[in-house]
Amino acid sequence: MSSNRGFAIFFLELYLAAWSQEVAAGPLVVDRTRLGNTFDGVGGLSGGGATSVLLPNYAETSRSEVLDYLFKPNFGASLQILKVEIGGDSQSTDGTESSHMHDSETVDLHTGYEWWLMQEAKKRNPDIKLYGLAWAFPGWVGEGSGDPFKFPKQTARYLVEWVTGAKSEYGLDIDYLGIWNERSSDSNFVQVLRKSLNEAGHTSTKLVVKDGDIGICNDLLKDKAYADAVDIVGVHYPNDFADFSACHQLAKPLWASEESSSYDDMNGAACWGRVINSHWVLNKMTASIMWNLVGAYYHGTNWYASSMLTSVEPWSGHYEVNPVIWATAHVTQFTKIGWRYLVNGSGSGELPRGGYFATWVDPSSTDFTMNFVKISRDHASCTRPHLPTFQTSEENVTVLLAPSMRPPAELEVWYSNFEAYGNAEPPLFQHSTVQVHNNKFSLHIPVGAMITITTIKTGGKGSFQHIPPSSPSFPLDYVDDFQSTDDSRNARWFADQIGSFEIHRAEDGKRSLRQMVTQLPIGWSDKGSRGPMTLIGMREWQDIKVQVSFRLPAASAKRSPADAACVGVRVDQMWQNGVVLCNLAHVDAYCDIVRSAEHP
Ligand SMILES: *[C@@H]1O[C@H](CO)[C@@H](O)[C@H](O)[C@H]1NC(C)=O
Ligand SMILES: *[C@@H]1O[C@H](CO)[C@@H](O)[C@H](O)[C@H]1NC(C)=O
């Protein structure tokens, strides 16, 4: 008896093995009656910090072309969300962005360039969502304590002024507001902020917490009043293989509110292409935002070459459209915020031989879009977090469209391969079509592929003729007397690193570049360094001559360290090394300095 039984089980196992292979090879069923969460979009992040600084003064027509590649629908990245830094007067990675309130009295809505960028984005895509987040705060919000939550009403007023100013000065609605990038959040503060926004009429501005790790989900579960004040949970560089059950219990949209930070080559595109798909399939995240939007920060500052598009030559107008643009286009050009994902198993899931696929449907029409991505372990890593090992191999899948999909006879196909090395022209966002027979179509998915299958016919691979050739050297001789720059703006091609330098009129009515930060800010990465500095030109310079006219504050104020004006060459962004010559002028309030650094 016992041996017979063993025999029977042996056959049953064989049968099961054969059956499960059959299922793996069977069609992937797509059924629009199985709606999942609402899609919240794919975005880019300007700031954190000063990553766009060289763009506002970029040579035209290149500047408009760069903006088209980022924001214009059916052209390039066609972004659905623009997240910007709320300038906080302190170093936030690649520089300082000017605050709208250097002190508690004055609101200046003409500082910085994020206002400009948001307007340019909206001009191209009125549906783009706007998201503001502070990295640093001016010192006054904490009254010198270094804690932005100690005087919650004051910090809330500071953020509400930014949201109000966006509307009153520029007609911009701020859709989402964060708290403090990758630093603490605070239950009481978030409740006060919510109340302050409502009182100012910004009831539709949603709050995102906390732009950091997933610990926030447990914090919110334990504190109902905190959770009630929050609309969206935004986590950074989420690990798809971590446990998100606490976040899911909150039943709030879960976003990768900062992602990538990866090199902007084919691997960066592979990382980004993978996560904008896998974050939904594995953990039900409904938006991803890439750091950073545009590489318009000097070579030699932090995280160079981690951008959707590189534009570091404002003088020549040269720019580079990185493959990350096309990974983004695979989703953004064929979906809209408000479309619904289809649930796991009915349009979304893991591919049998490794990789992911997701389906979005337009709830108000028969349109739908599918995206497939299969990246090998060697090419799938983003800068963080660590990825476990996994296998991928090429495969052929059959997709069965349920009657609910109203299958059309033909679908549009857009194909990229981010592992196609050795090709002179790797396939990036190539268009073709696929026929649907008996509600089915077949698809070959090689390793490295990102493939979009869609009913949407408006996709387009935008291009411009005659991008100016690269000319990496900063053009010398260079002179600026600042008289033609508008008040409150940053000076052309200067990149503030510590402190904020803006154009304002001196007592004689002439414009000058003024350092605006006199109290230590509540910093993000710089908690109190050697004091203000702004960069221009190239760290590689040798044998150059610099001439600067400057003025120090009245000598009566004996500050420590003493007021000084310095000129440096070959310095890093925190001027920890380089050659720096300072004039500690206590005597004359007006003097000129001429320094040359011919033998560094
Ligand atoms: C979706 O299905 C895949 C297998 O296809 C699984 O690995 C994943 O955990 C599922 N996601 C969710 C959110 O349950
Ligand atoms: C997929 O189909 C192609 C032909 O279209 C074939 O060359 C390839 O071997 C197939 N791959 C697998 C894994 O069956």
Side-chain angles (χ1 to χ4, degrees):
M1 278 299 278
S2 61
S3 67
N4 270 351
R5 215 167 143 195
F7 203 55
I9 288 167
F10 176 65
F11 270 106
L12 186 66
E13 277 172 357
L14 261 187
Y15 171 77
L16 274 177
W19 180 79
S20 61
Q21 263 196 353
E22 183 81 351
V23 168
L28 305 172
V29 180
V30 184
D31 181 354
R32 86 150 53 224
T33 63
R34 304 289 317 280
L35 292 177
N37 299 26
T38 298
F39 173 61
D40 294 312
V42 172
L45 176 43
S46 167
T51 48
S52 305
V53 64
L54 299 175
L55 188 61
N57 294 305
Y58 223 80
E60 284 292 9
T61 54
S62 297
R63 186 177 76 163
S64 317
E65 294 176 2
V66 165
L67 294 164
D68 284 351
Y69 269 116
L70 296 173
F71 301 119
K72 194 173 162 181
N74 307 314
F75 191 83
S78 306
L79 290 168
Q80 296 161 321
I81 304 170
L82 171 61
K83 179 175 177 181
V84 302
E85 175 172 352
I86 300 173
D89 282 345
S90 189
Q91 169 64 245
S92 53
T93 298
D94 289 290
T96 296
E97 299 197 23
S98 273
S99 172
H100 59 293
M101 292 182 78
H102 299 300
D103 59 59
S104 64
E105 310 292 316
T106 325
V107 181
D108 186 345
L109 299 170
H110 297 272
T111 64
Y113 36 83
E114 305 292 4
W115 305 116
W116 166 80
L117 188 64
M118 288 190 280
Q119 292 173 84
E120 292 296 326
K122 277 277 178 191
K123 261 189 226 166
R124 287 164 174 81
N125 176 11
D127 293 334
I128 197 167
K129 300 283 182 187
L130 302 176
Y131 177 170
L133 175 64
W135 265 245
F137 296 88
W140 65 263
V141 307
E143 299 194 0
S145 66
D147 178 357
F149 307 131
K150 190 166 179 190
F151 303 96
K153 283 194 175 149
Q154 194 149 268
T155 304
R157 176 170 75 93
Y158 171 76
L159 292 175
V160 170
E161 288 287 4
W162 190 84
V163 175
T164 300
K167 184 70 179 173
S168 64
E169 192 74 10
Y170 303 106
L172 298 168
D173 289 305
I174 302 300
D175 301 286
Y176 311 112
L177 184 66
I179 311 300
W180 189 13
N181 183 65
E182 293 175 2
R183 296 293 177 263
S184 54
S185 178
D186 181 86
S187 170
N188 179 49
F189 172 70
V190 173
Q191 293 172 58
V192 170
L193 178 60
R194 178 71 270 165
K195 202 162 160 265
S196 309
L197 283 166
N198 292 351
E199 282 166 6
H202 306 300
T203 49
S204 55
T205 300
K206 294 183 173 169
L207 288 182
V208 186
V209 296
K210 70 176 187 86
D211 279 293
D213 63 54
I214 63 172
I216 186 62
C217 296
N218 281 317
D219 296 349
L220 294 176
L221 280 176
K222 282 185 277 187
D223 183 342
K224 185 171 183 303
Y226 191 2
D228 285 348
V230 166
D231 300 283
I232 292 153
V233 176
V235 293
H236 285 195
Y237 309 96
N239 179 351
D240 272 331
F241 306 94
D243 177 6
F244 283 87
S245 51
C247 301
H248 292 145
Q249 276 179 55
L250 291 165
K252 293 183 189 291
L254 175 62
W255 292 4
S257 58
E258 187 178 313
E259 247 313 339
S260 184
S261 290
S262 299
Y263 279 115
D264 47 30
D265 54 10
M266 296 278 272
N267 283 326
C271 135
W272 176 238
R274 175 179 61 88
V275 296
I276 59 181
N277 196 314
S278 69
H279 281 341
W280 162 253
V281 173
L282 297 179
N283 292 304
K284 295 191 176 174
M285 291 178 218
T286 54
S288 297
I289 299 174
M290 180 175 153
W291 191 89
N292 60 65
L293 175 77
V294 60
Y297 45 102
Y298 280 117
H299 185 229
T301 54
N302 285 330
W303 296 88
Y304 188 76
S306 311
S307 314
M308 285 195 174
L309 185 150
T310 306
S311 52
V312 283
E313 295 180 19
W315 44 86
S316 75
H318 178 74
Y319 62 91
E320 281 164 38
V321 178
N322 300 321
V324 195
I325 291 275
W326 304 119
T328 313
H330 268 282
V331 174
T332 54
Q333 289 198 10
F334 310 104
T335 56
K336 279 196 157 57
I337 290 175
W339 281 29
R340 300 281 293 274
Y341 281 105
L342 294 186
V343 298
N344 241 11
S346 298
S348 302
E350 287 190 64
L351 289 167
R353 296 192 178 197
Y356 308 94
F357 67 104
T359 304
W360 297 255
V361 300
D362 178 358
S364 63
S365 77
T366 55
D367 281 326
F368 67 90
T369 291
M370 298 188 75
N371 182 255
F372 299 79
V373 64
K374 184 193 284 285
I375 309 295
S376 72
R377 171 64 182 79
D378 284 353
H379 296 271
S381 280
C382 300
T383 292
R384 56 175 91 93
H386 174 76
L387 258 193
T389 52
F390 56 80
Q391 300 298 322
T392 49
S393 59
E394 58 118 3
E395 66 188 303
N396 298 306
V397 297
T398 301
V399 176
L400 172 63
L401 300 171
S404 62
M405 302 302 291
R406 309 264 178 113
E410 186 179 83
L411 286 161
E412 311 296 306
V413 180
W414 291 87
Y415 177 74
S416 297
N417 196 307
F418 301 123
E419 298 185 39
Y421 292 90
N423 299 25
E425 287 281 331
L428 290 178
F429 209 56
Q430 289 177 345
H431 181 237
S432 61
T433 55
V434 63
Q435 304 307 307
V436 180
H437 295 296
N438 300 326
N439 299 349
K440 284 188 213 160
F441 66 88
S442 310
L443 195 62
H444 176 59
I445 312 178
V447 173
M450 188 167 191
I451 306 171
T452 302
I453 308 284
T454 180
T455 59
I456 301 292
K457 296 188 194 312
T458 48
K461 187 173 184 183
S463 68
F464 289 108
Q465 304 295 307
H466 314 302
I467 297 176
S470 174
S471 171
S473 288
F474 186 95
L476 291 174
D477 296 339
Y478 185 75
V479 178
D480 194 348
D481 67 0
F482 311 126
Q483 298 314 303
S484 57
T485 306
D486 289 341
D487 292 343
S488 303
R489 302 290 186 209
N490 302 114
R492 184 172 87 137
W493 302 350
F494 276 85
D496 303 348
Q497 298 299 320
I498 313 173
S500 294
F501 294 76
E502 296 169 3
I503 303 295
H504 290 282
R505 288 170 200 270
E507 285 84 345
D508 61 6
K510 283 194 168 171
R511 288 183 167 119
S512 63
L513 187 59
R514 185 186 297 172
Q515 202 292 109
M516 301 302 290
V517 183
T518 53
Q519 182 185 9
L520 187 67
I522 301 174
W524 187 68
S525 57
D526 182 21
K527 306 278 164 53
S529 57
R530 37 162 91 251
M533 81 91 94
T534 185
L535 282 178
I536 190 166
M538 303 170 68
R539 206 175 169 192
E540 296 82 358
W541 267 340
Q542 302 180 13
D543 302 335
I544 62 146
K545 187 174 171 194
V546 184
Q547 179 169 328
V548 181
S549 298
F550 70 88
R551 181 155 60 173
L552 292 171
S556 59
K558 282 225 170 82
R559 274 177 280 265
S560 174
D563 294 326
C566 307
V567 174
V569 287
R570 306 179 78 180
V571 291
D572 66 320
Q573 64 187 105
M574 301 306 280
W575 59 304
Q576 274 152 351
N577 48 54
V579 181
V580 182
L581 300 169
C582 289
N583 181 350
L584 295 158
H586 314 269
V587 204
D588 265 336
Y590 298 84
C591 54
D592 279 347
I593 183 171
V594 180
R595 289 288 184 267
S596 63
E598 275 158 355
H599 305 285

